[in-house]
């Protein structure tokens, strides 16, 4: 072993290769007691929350559509900004769809 290798393997050296990480533990299956999903479960959305999510999705969709239309004109536009608006639109629509499914699931399963 050369001197450079010995120096590189010292514990205080910031350039040394880190030790391999321990394998992750297997959590409880989703939906069971003690699982991360059951601990983070949110109550079903209220009608006011659904209306708010619908408004957010509509606003994001309108902003994206307007900016996309702007790209066809002679005004300066940015492809990055268009992608950001597209992602925001998709995120808002996904949140709305998730909330709608949660509300439908809650309506199908009355409390015991």
């Amino acid at each position: 072993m050369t001197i450079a290798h010995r120096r590189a393997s010292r514990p205080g050296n910031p350039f040394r290769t880190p030790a391999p990480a321990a394998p992750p533990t297997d959590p409880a299956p989703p939906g069971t007691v003690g699982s991360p999903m059951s601990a983070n479960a949110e109550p079903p959305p209220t009608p006011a929350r659904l209306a708010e999510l619908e408004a957010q999705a509509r606003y994001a969709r309108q902003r994206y559509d307007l900016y996309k239309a702007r790209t066809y004109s002679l005004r300066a536009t940015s492809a990055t900004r268009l992608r950001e608006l597209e992602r925001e639109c998709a995120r808002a629509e996904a949140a709305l769809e998730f909330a709608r499914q949660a509300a439908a699931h809650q309506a199908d399963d009355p409390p015991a």
Side-chain angles (χ1 to χ4, degrees):
M1 182 181 275
T2 65
I3 294 175
H5 285 100
R6 280 184 284 182
R7 286 184 184 153
S9 64
R10 289 184 182 162
N13 185 354
F15 300 107
R16 77 183 187 128
T17 308
T25 59
D26 189 23
T32 60
V33 175
S35 72
M37 186 180 289
S38 66
N40 296 333
E42 294 183 14
T46 62
R49 178 67 179 144
L50 281 174
E52 180 184 346
L53 288 171
E54 287 171 355
Q56 288 176 357
R58 184 173 45 253
Y59 178 71
R61 193 176 320 111
Q62 288 171 350
R63 287 180 64 199
Y64 171 67
D65 289 341
L66 286 171
Y67 200 84
K68 189 167 61 169
R70 184 178 173 182
T71 61
Y72 295 112
S73 70
L74 297 177
R75 299 180 70 180
T77 57
S78 165
T80 303
R81 180 69 179 144
L82 184 64
R83 283 192 302 271
E84 288 173 1
L85 290 171
E86 183 179 18
R87 279 194 298 267
E88 178 63 26
C89 178
R91 186 211 55 81
E93 289 179 353
L96 175 61
E97 183 61 30
F98 182 78
R100 283 181 177 160
Q101 288 177 358
H105 179 66
Q106 180 65 22
D108 291 342
D109 296 334

